[in-house]
Amino acid sequence: MTSRPAPDPVFAFELNGETVTVSAPAHHTLLELLRYRQGLTGTKQGCDKGDCGACTVLLDGSPVLSCLTLAVTVAGRAVTTIEGLGAEHRRAEGRPHPVQEAFDRSGALQCGFCQPGMLLSSAALLRKNPSPTADEVRAALSGNLCRCTGYAQIIEAVLRAAAVERGEDPPAPAWSIEPRDEEP
Amino acid sequence: MLRMPRFEVSCPESLPEALALLAESELDTRVMAGGTDLLVALKNRLEVPQRVVSLARVGGLDHVTEQEGSLAIGARVTLAQLGASDLVRRLAPALGEAARSVASPQVRQVATIGGNALLSTRCRYYNQSHFWRKALGFCLKKDGTLCHVVEGGKKCVAAASGDTAPALLTLGARVTLESQHGVRALPLLDLYRNDGIANTVLRPDELLTELVVPAQRPGHRGAYEKLRVREAIDYPLLGVAVRLDVDPDSAVVTDVDVVLTALQAKPRRVARIDSLIVGVPIHGEAFEAAAAQLGLRARDQCHPVANVPGDPEYRRKLVPVLVRRALLRAAGAA
Amino acid sequence: MAARDRHGSGPPFGDVFKVVGTSARKVDGMAKATGEAVFTDDITLPGMLHAKTLRSPHAHARIVAIDTTRAAALPGVRAVITGRDLPGRFGVLPWTQDETALALEKVRFVGEPVAAVAAVDEDTAIDALELIRIEYELLTPHFDPLDALRDDAAPIHDTRERNVSKNVLLEFGDVNAEFARADVVIDEHYSFHGTTHAAIEPHCALARLGADGVLTLYSSTQITHYVQRTVAKVLELPEHLVRVIQPCVGGGFGGKSDPFSLELCVCKLACITGRPVKMLYDREEVFYTHRGRHPMQMHFRTAATREGKLLALDARTVLDGGAYSSFGLVTTYYSGQLLAGPYALDALRFDSTRVFTNKPPCGPKRGHGAVQPRFAFEVQLDELATRLDLDPIELRRRGALPAYTETLNGQRITSNGLLACLTAVERASEWRVRRGRLPFGVGLGVAASMYISGTNYPVYPNEMPQAGIVLEANRSGLVTVLTGSNDIGQGASTIVRMLVAEELGLALDQVRVVAADTDLCPVDLGAYSSRVTFMVGNAAIDACRKLRAKLTSALAAHWETFEGDIVLSEGEAFDRKEPTRRLSLKEAIAIAEAKYDTLATAGSYNTPKLGGAYRGGTIGASPSYSFTAHVAEVRVDDETGRITCEHLYVAHDCGRALNPMLVAGQMDGSAYMGAAEALMEDHDVDERGLHRGPSLLDYPIPTALDVPGLSSLIVESIDPEGPYGAKEAGEGPLHPAVPAIANAVYDAVGVRLRHLPFTPARVLAELEQQRAALEGRRARC
């Protein structure tokens, strides 16, 4: 078959609060569009097969996997990436999103590679449920693999963000320092 | 990154438009709803279509409605919606459990009940990259002639791996298939074929548009048990759905259904079990004994093969355990 | 030499640390939280080409012919290379350089790189790979190390007569004599399976040849320096024309501490095409790249007195090395050398043999070489405790080495918090009231370990410092730190910033760390062997002391007072005796710059001479050792065989916790990783040599729902060698997780697990055997 390939579809969608019109081959994923055509490299690629969650973005406010989303299918919808997550808070209140602040504060960011996805899943959870239990946090993040932290400081961070937003004291971390004898 | 074959995408805005696209036969076409299964298959070159018809913009098909106890579920209802639906929780608890057990929150956000019901069969020798399969020498299901699960096997034994199908089957669900030639409704069980390559009777020009769960009897209970390595992300290594009908007055079992998945290409209904448990009151030792007996009968009818990961002998050992647990949990969840 | 100076463990000014010991935020925390942080694949250069690798579909085969003409002719293809284009042999250790960037005469595992293509886009590169024709002559593959060791086995490396990669036999004390006088001997076989790092970021490399002749390589590596040396060697370039830059790295765990094929391929392709070339591995390729935990088969015998005094350990180990050497020589030593602690032994013998097999090469994974024998030994100790009817914690207490001693293989121990670790986990787990008294199916188990804080054995022998630091104090009030060290998420740059701020009395934002760029930074050997905080920290303090001396002497002259009275603290300088004399550090720097000219100093660290005076005596010799104890709490489902690790109590002696939040992160991450290896991960090939599941679906790493509760209990022993008393925390806390879980399973259900992984199928089979044995016994009664 030698028919000329169809021209790339052109479509518009809302990206981090702004309407963009893009052209992308039909067989490209949203992940590819964001990372390599829009320059939004905060969205990470860990497995490209839907197993790790590093490429999580918000589609109309809900976390989805951009590696398993055909780019053209987001036409007319709203996509939020990690670059857009903090933007509204920075604009409105001059501070990052509470989960961004809390992840940094709790040590939840080690290598930082799973975190953009983790933060978007966390932000979506807190929007739906401002007072989650630790188990609810675990369930909400169960599609975001982290290889560094063992999740303890991540869960602490989400609970911290929730507490701070409610105006409460953040939870104590699960780690502690043993009392020590006099120094030599 | 992983590349997909070049294809065109059509995004019809309505069901008739979608059906019209499917009726054109010159392009090899795949239908995509959530896309979470199809895109992986495309990246693995398991599917190499010329065109993908996306249902993303088709209106409707996203209803969960009750009519006199019967549940109508549009094929585009997501697993997240299904898992969170109070109607489903109340009328078809096993289905809700099954939906919540699928993959991860992000996948459930877009994966649909229609897609899950039509999930392609899975096998450790099939769900691999093109490189891996080529190194293997390919297999019966795709690009090859040999079955690596059953030596000399002529029939593909890839496993039904959808979590919702067994639950729907215990509930007696029916599916509606539409094409430009008309509508046909059939029991879900008849949608499936025991063939790992062509595991459904859906024609290329047809769309699965709706699932109907008939009204259950008063005292209906259900549960879904899933064997997997992790508490999220994984496909079932064994799935067990049960339906227990219990007389509300006497608390005695009046009917039972047990369907297993991840064994062969078609979910398997366990046969000859009524006599073991019908008439037994759900509270007490007799029920526990009956549930255990029923589990053993299920095991005797199941012969797991090395199609999905995990030791088949172990999966067989787990059949009675999961069946019993599902029954006990269903009985307890009044 | 200043580099070997100890700097003391106390605060630089007064009695209180200002920065050290705080849970200060990471230098790159907010950059990572906002998506601003740049990882290698986030970089795009103008005119950049994309490269892909063609891999072997055979486990063992001779390459008869390669024809790349059709691939090279494909429109959009800019270059195709094969082994002949990059024939230089390399390997991270200079003694065992058996790798080439692309297979030369033979392929040795499924997935081995054979050719590479650079093209205008990835689609074209992939299409081109399909056009490369290779003729192979198939050879018999070996997947079982014992099979590979047979006399008639085909050699995997033609240069070697047998498939022995390395053998180490060492004996300390008289093992036979100790066994002869022992009251108790435990003699068992154990096995540890393969596991891999599975960092979430796949390997990526991007190279560019500048018009000035400088080849710049961006790579997701943990070892910039060794990569620079390797690129120079294989591409036959002078080292000074190779610049290696490590952007943010998305996790390493040892999986990015070898020089890799992709780094060499993009460099070569960039040189050929004159354009920047990037290669990003897909997830499956990461599994083939591997360098993960060596599977080990271990026959261990432990001799003890009836009081529980340990007399001797006799360990025979076969290591499955996979197809290449990697760090395997070191792994082979570590499999025995690190057994000489944390318990006193009168004799130790180990006979470790690393074997080549036709599998992805093994290498260093977190806890390199020592996690497997630690599993065997700590389970064996539990068996000994059972035999002697001793509390397993008590047995370990009795055997614990003291602080400031030497092991029988010549390893110098300095501070030692093992007893405090045991006490911490005993208390936190309520061991005394719960162990042995929990209902059937629930149990507690203990294990302990020690690990190195770096080693005095550099990868290539040299007398130069192992870590270097350059500081520049700028009149703007900023101190810039140049360090070759690799921050791979563990917080290396954060720790350097904290140490410099402490030493010079600066606010944290007055210290900027520039790291891991071989053009800008002095050499550091890299992020492996748990060496970074220890060595780079010491080097930083060394550099700071020299800079501080200039600042204080300039201020003393300025104020006409004594240097010893000058205090630098929290962004200010003042005279302790006359506190009204006070300047900002910005002003202080300006005064010093006026007096001494541009303010820059260098510092470095090298280990003291360590290790026993025998061949291999320096391997495993560390300037200080960390100590760890775990108690695992498990629940065993006796119908499904599934083990749930409910909780891990992790106590770790890290010397001083420079940043407790980061220490806890390392402890959590280590412990969880060990638990996952025990319970769900398995890196293996099938009977054809095909990987059993090269994806994050089929190689399951835990989700947030699959991890134990973690209680990280930081024990501080204040070590005289480390920076302000710090030791390592990044690897040691992994070791006890695996045996602690095994020992907890014994407490829970009475089944002794000696073979990993503890899959439900295996556990259920063990439970069934136990039941059958019980019933058999009952039947006989």
Side-chain angles (χ1 to χ4, degrees):
Chain A
M1 217 174 46
T2 54
S3 67
R4 225 152 33 100
D8 291 348
V10 176
F11 56 97
F13 67 107
E14 192 189 306
L15 178 55
N16 294 331
E18 288 176 29
T19 301
V20 294
T21 301
V22 299
S23 146
H27 66 293
H28 279 197
T29 60
L30 177 60
L31 175 62
E32 176 153 22
L33 175 72
L34 293 172
R35 280 186 60 76
Y36 305 114
R37 295 193 170 220
Q38 293 295 313
L40 295 175
T41 53
T43 304
K44 298 304 180 202
Q45 174 183 190
C47 73
D48 211 4
K49 284 189 182 182
D51 301 324
C52 77
C55 69
T56 301
V57 298
L58 300 184
L59 185 59
D60 296 333
S62 295
V64 302
L65 300 172
S66 62
C67 78
L68 296 187
T69 304
L70 279 187
V72 293
T73 62
V74 304
R77 306 184 68 179
V79 173
T80 307
T81 69
I82 190 66
E83 290 90 346
L85 179 67
E88 64 213 68
H89 284 79
R90 273 198 295 275
R91 266 197 306 273
E93 305 166 47
R95 64 182 179 117
H97 190 284
V99 292
Q100 293 174 313
E101 171 76 11
F103 268 57
D104 187 32
R105 188 58 276 172
S106 296
L109 297 144
Q110 285 195 25
C111 81
F113 200 78
C114 75
Q115 266 84 4
M118 198 73 80
L119 285 158
L120 289 162
S121 287
S122 302
L125 167 70
L126 293 185
R127 191 174 310 169
K128 274 201 321 205
N129 178 0
S131 304
T133 63
D135 282 345
E136 287 169 338
V137 175
R138 286 179 191 274
L141 300 183
S142 62
N144 293 86
L145 296 177
C146 169
R147 194 57 163 167
C148 294
T149 61
Y151 302 100
Q153 288 175 329
I154 288 175
I155 291 158
E156 179 200 323
V158 179
L159 295 176
R160 169 191 286 266
V164 168
E165 284 302 280
R166 294 195 307 264
E168 296 167 14
D169 290 339
W175 55 268
S176 57
I177 304 178
E178 291 292 294
R180 129 173 132 237
D181 304 333
E182 282 308 294
E183 291 182 20
Chain B
M1 59 198 316
L2 298 172
R3 313 308 304 173
M4 287 189 277
R6 281 166 239 259
F7 50 79
E8 354 175 322
V9 176
S10 303
C11 298
E13 309 268 345
S14 68
L15 182 59
E17 209 185 308
L19 295 178
L21 282 166
L22 295 185
E24 299 168 5
S25 57
E26 61 267 32
L27 292 181
D28 185 19
T29 297
R30 296 290 178 281
V31 175
M32 182 178 82
T36 51
D37 189 39
L38 181 64
L39 258 63
V40 181
L42 291 165
K43 290 179 181 189
N44 283 336
R45 295 295 203 278
L46 297 171
E47 301 280 0
V48 192
Q50 294 163 305
R51 183 176 62 185
V52 168
V53 172
S54 163
L55 304 182
R57 277 180 238 162
V58 172
L61 305 186
D62 56 356
H63 55 280
V64 181
T65 50
E66 182 200 351
Q67 198 169 17
E68 291 170 10
S70 165
L71 209 48
I73 303 169
R76 283 186 58 235
V77 169
T78 65
L79 298 175
Q81 283 173 276
L82 210 55
S85 160
D86 287 332
L87 274 180
V88 172
R89 210 180 285 265
R90 186 158 53 80
L91 299 175
L95 178 60
E97 284 186 8
R100 289 190 291 277
S101 80
V102 174
S104 62
Q106 297 98 311
V107 168
R108 294 193 293 275
Q109 192 63 41
V110 296
T112 63
I113 182 64
N116 198 247
L118 293 169
L119 189 75
S120 179
T121 56
R122 297 182 61 84
C123 177
R124 60 169 77 172
Y125 298 103
Y126 170 74
N127 295 96
Q128 300 285 356
S129 70
H130 187 261
F131 166 78
W132 195 100
R133 291 183 296 116
K134 192 173 171 187
L136 172 75
F138 299 111
C139 79
L140 261 189
K141 180 158 173 162
K142 177 76 183 157
D143 303 326
T145 54
L146 286 179
C147 179
H148 304 278
V149 177
V150 179
E151 206 177 325
K154 292 282 173 262
K155 186 171 157 193
C156 174
V157 294
S161 298
D163 290 294
T164 55
L168 287 163
L169 289 167
T170 62
L171 294 161
R174 299 173 67 80
V175 289
T176 306
L177 310 180
E178 293 190 42
S179 73
Q180 279 200 322
H181 302 293
V183 179
R184 54 175 179 148
L186 61 164
L188 179 63
L189 194 61
D190 295 347
L191 176 68
Y192 297 120
R193 306 174 61 224
N194 200 12
D195 176 344
I197 296 171
N199 66 316
T200 72
V201 301
L202 188 79
R203 296 195 312 259
D205 67 334
E206 279 181 320
L207 268 186
L208 192 167
T209 52
E210 190 181 64
L211 297 97
V212 177
V213 175
Q216 304 296 307
R217 297 185 206 173
H220 162 81
R221 292 130 194 267
Y224 180 67
E225 285 281 332
K226 177 172 180 174
L227 179 68
R228 52 179 162 178
V229 176
R230 294 176 288 190
E231 292 299 314
I233 300 179
D234 296 346
Y235 285 94
L237 303 175
L238 178 67
V240 177
V242 302
R243 172 175 56 82
L244 266 187
D245 291 345
V246 178
D247 184 279
D249 300 323
S250 63
V252 157
V253 177
T254 58
D255 195 17
V256 64
D257 194 12
V258 178
V259 177
L260 280 67
T261 197
L263 292 168
Q264 53 192 29
K266 183 174 179 170
R268 184 182 188 103
R269 169 166 283 143
V270 184
R272 301 188 307 280
I273 52 176
D274 290 9
S275 61
L276 296 176
I277 202 163
V278 169
V280 177
I282 56 166
H283 305 298
E285 285 175 16
F287 184 83
E288 288 186 24
Q293 280 301 314
L294 207 157
L296 294 175
R297 181 148 300 173
R299 185 193 60 194
D300 292 343
Q301 295 174 23
C302 295
H303 308 282
V305 290
N307 48 7
V308 299
D311 172 20
E313 184 51 35
Y314 174 73
R315 285 159 59 221
R316 184 157 187 269
K317 282 182 195 171
L318 266 284
V319 169
V321 178
L322 263 60
V323 168
R324 200 188 79 241
R325 287 183 179 185
L327 286 167
L328 290 176
R329 211 154 49 73
Chain C
M1 173 175 173
R4 295 196 176 98
D5 283 354
R6 293 176 176 185
H7 304 293
S9 57
F13 302 98
D15 303 331
V16 187
F17 283 108
K18 293 293 185 338
V19 180
V20 161
T22 66
S23 290
R25 296 181 182 218
K26 297 180 72 170
V27 288
D28 50 5
M30 283 317 288
K32 285 174 173 174
T34 55
E36 179 191 297
V38 175
F39 295 76
T40 305
D41 186 46
D42 298 340
I43 303 169
T44 298
L45 296 178
M48 189 174 83
L49 301 173
H50 297 266
K52 297 298 285 184
T53 298
L54 182 70
R55 293 174 181 274
S56 166
H58 305 297
H60 197 190
R62 201 167 294 286
I63 298 172
V64 179
I66 305 185
D67 180 0
T68 61
T69 47
R70 287 177 64 211
L74 187 74
V77 170
R78 293 291 180 268
V80 184
I81 55 172
T82 67
R84 287 197 192 146
D85 297 295
L86 283 168
R89 290 188 189 275
F90 70 94
V92 69
L93 304 183
W95 299 277
T96 55
Q97 301 205 321
D98 54 13
E99 297 181 55
T100 50
L102 300 164
L104 261 177
E105 303 93 5
K106 278 177 82 172
V107 288
R108 298 181 174 89
F109 65 97
V110 174
E112 177 163 4
V114 181
V117 172
V120 291
D121 56 34
E122 280 189 291
D123 280 321
T124 307
I126 290 170
D127 290 346
L129 295 184
E130 290 288 316
L131 299 175
I132 297 174
R133 290 282 161 267
I134 305 183
E135 193 186 323
Y136 291 103
E137 175 198 334
L138 300 189
L139 303 168
T140 308
H142 300 291
F143 305 122
D144 175 356
L146 298 181
D147 172 45
L149 277 178
R150 287 203 332 246
D151 287 341
D152 60 343
I156 291 170
H157 289 273
D158 297 348
T159 51
R160 306 234 192 176
E161 276 179 31
R162 298 184 64 215
N163 287 318
V164 175
S165 157
K166 178 72 190 173
N167 173 254
V168 178
L169 170 59
L170 284 171
E171 180 165 352
F172 309 96
D174 186 340
V175 168
N176 292 347
E178 296 296 334
F179 271 87
R181 76 179 179 103
D183 299 319
V184 195
V185 171
I186 311 283
D187 180 336
E188 290 289 352
H189 292 261
Y190 307 84
S191 60
F192 205 110
H193 61 312
T195 67
T196 199
H197 319 82
I200 308 293
E201 180 204 28
H203 302 59
C204 184
L206 163 58
R208 151 180 191 276
L209 181 63
D212 54 2
V214 176
L215 179 66
T216 301
L217 171 68
Y218 301 87
S219 182
S220 55
T221 181
Q222 318 179 208
I223 44 145
T224 338
H225 176 62
Y226 297 135
V227 170
Q228 180 194 25
R229 287 169 57 89
T230 304
V231 168
K233 174 177 192 282
V234 176
L235 274 84
E236 297 175 342
L237 294 168
E239 264 177 60
H240 70 273
L241 292 182
V242 176
R243 177 183 187 183
V244 181
I245 299 171
Q246 173 235 304
C248 286
V249 167
F253 318 111
K256 294 170 181 167
S257 46
D258 285 63
F260 288 114
S261 168
L262 83 167
E263 294 164 324
L264 297 160
C265 286
V266 293
C267 286
K268 185 70 184 179
L269 290 166
C271 290
I272 294 171
T273 61
R275 288 172 60 173
V277 179
K278 184 199 278 185
M279 191 185 297
L280 168 67
Y281 278 171
D282 66 39
R283 178 53 57 181
E284 181 170 352
E285 295 180 285
V286 174
F287 281 94
Y288 300 141
T289 305
H290 192 44
R291 317 293 161 133
R293 185 98 62 222
H294 286 68
M296 292 192 195
Q297 299 177 32
M298 298 165 279
H299 179 194
F300 274 35
R301 297 193 305 139
T302 296
T305 67
R306 63 177 61 85
E307 293 77 30
K309 177 182 160 36
L310 301 176
L311 299 176
L313 169 61
D314 184 16
R316 288 173 66 94
T317 300
V318 174
L319 297 83
D320 182 349
Y324 291 96
S325 288
S326 180
F327 280 86
L329 181 153
V330 174
T331 321
T332 312
Y333 274 102
Y334 280 7
S335 72
Q337 285 289 60
L338 294 171
L339 286 167
Y343 313 110
L345 291 168
D346 290 338
L348 166 68
R349 176 166 61 211
F350 68 91
D351 182 355
S352 293
T353 306
R354 185 180 190 268
V355 185
F356 289 119
T357 55
N358 293 107
K359 301 195 234 181
C362 296
K365 182 182 167 191
R366 203 173 203 169
H368 185 193
V371 171
Q372 306 94 318
R374 179 57 52 195
F375 158 68
F377 190 42
E378 292 289 321
V379 171
Q380 191 141 74
L381 288 182
D382 215 59
E383 296 179 75
L384 178 64
T386 305
R387 179 87 67 87
L388 296 174
D389 197 21
L390 268 175
D391 179 305
I393 290 185
E394 183 54 30
L395 175 77
R396 286 169 172 82
R397 270 204 189 99
R398 288 185 195 175
L401 285 168
Y404 302 98
T405 186
E406 191 175 289
T407 62
L408 78 170
N409 60 347
Q411 294 165 357
R412 187 198 68 181
I413 306 283
T414 51
S415 73
N416 179 346
L418 178 64
L419 292 177
C421 289
L422 287 167
T423 300
V425 293
E426 183 182 52
R427 191 200 61 244
S429 66
E430 301 178 43
W431 174 271
R432 290 195 189 179
V433 293
R434 297 178 73 221
R435 193 234 163 212
R437 298 173 201 179
L438 292 164
F440 180 81
V442 186
L444 294 178
V446 69
S449 64
M450 73 173 205
Y451 200 61
I452 54 176
S453 299
T455 164
N456 80 327
Y457 172 92
V459 151
Y460 62 97
N462 71 82
E463 295 298 318
M464 291 172 280
Q466 301 199 34
I469 288 265
V470 169
L471 293 181
E472 189 247 335
N474 191 283
R475 62 185 80 167
S476 69
L478 177 75
V479 171
T480 301
V481 189
L482 306 180
T483 168
S485 70
N486 299 88
D487 191 328
I488 57 172
Q490 83 281 45
S493 293
T494 302
I495 294 296
V496 167
R497 177 166 78 166
M498 290 175 74
L499 295 178
V500 172
E502 183 73 55
E503 273 293 320
L504 301 177
L506 295 159
L508 285 172
D509 66 3
Q510 287 182 284
V511 183
R512 203 101 77 236
V513 181
V514 176
D517 178 331
T518 58
D519 262 19
L520 304 182
C521 306
V523 167
D524 179 71
L525 297 184
Y528 66 94
S529 283
S530 269
R531 55 177 295 289
V532 175
T533 290
F534 195 95
M535 296 196 186
V536 179
N538 271 329
I541 294 175
D542 182 38
C544 285
R545 296 271 156 107
K546 294 170 188 164
L547 185 62
R548 198 173 91 192
K550 291 187 178 180
L551 290 171
T552 52
S553 95
L555 286 171
H558 181 72
W559 281 327
E560 297 180 350
T561 181
F562 298 104
E563 267 183 64
D565 290 334
I566 307 290
V567 176
L568 310 178
S569 177
E570 299 176 275
E572 289 189 320
F574 58 89
D575 183 343
R576 185 199 320 266
K577 299 267 174 56
E578 198 81 49
T580 51
R581 288 176 177 158
R582 188 172 287 266
L583 286 170
S584 73
L585 266 171
K586 178 173 185 280
E587 293 165 306
I589 288 168
I591 288 167
E593 189 178 344
K595 184 172 169 71
Y596 291 113
D597 299 337
T598 299
L599 291 175
T601 60
S604 41
Y605 178 77
N606 214 339
T607 56
K609 290 288 174 209
L610 293 167
Y614 53 89
R615 189 181 168 85
T618 59
I619 305 183
S622 174
S624 75
Y625 293 85
S626 73
F627 296 86
T628 313
H630 284 198
V631 165
E633 180 172 343
V634 303
R635 183 175 298 276
V636 181
D637 184 331
D638 68 335
E639 285 189 322
T640 65
R642 191 183 174 101
I643 300 169
T644 305
C645 184
E646 301 274 2
H647 210 97
L648 275 175
Y649 302 91
V650 182
H652 179 73
D653 162 24
C654 65
R656 185 191 298 280
L658 300 176
N659 181 324
M661 179 177 80
L662 299 191
V663 170
Q666 291 301 306
M667 292 169 67
D668 289 348
S670 293
Y672 121 88
M673 189 176 268
E677 291 187 46
L679 298 176
M680 58 175 65
E681 297 177 21
D682 190 1
H683 190 274
D684 202 3
V685 300
D686 71 5
E687 64 280 7
R688 305 165 190 82
L690 279 171
H691 197 288
R692 286 191 182 275
S695 69
L696 291 177
L697 179 65
D698 292 323
Y699 183 89
I701 65 174
T703 74
L705 293 170
D706 303 298
V707 287
L710 294 165
S711 297
S712 286
L713 312 166
I714 298 170
V715 169
E716 298 189 292
S717 67
I718 313 302
D719 189 81
E721 297 284 326
Y724 299 131
K727 303 190 287 191
E728 76 91 33
E731 302 189 66
L734 188 150
H735 300 238
V738 184
I741 288 171
N743 295 340
V745 169
Y746 184 77
D747 186 44
V749 293
V751 163
R752 185 60 75 188
L753 296 175
R754 299 190 186 92
H755 302 281
L756 283 155
F758 307 147
T759 59
R762 171 170 279 149
V763 175
L764 188 61
E766 295 277 353
L767 282 162
E768 284 168 349
Q769 257 183 27
Q770 181 199 43
R771 265 173 237 150
L774 276 176
E775 274 158 30
R777 227 174 293 157
R778 239 177 258 142
R780 277 196 299 277
C781 287

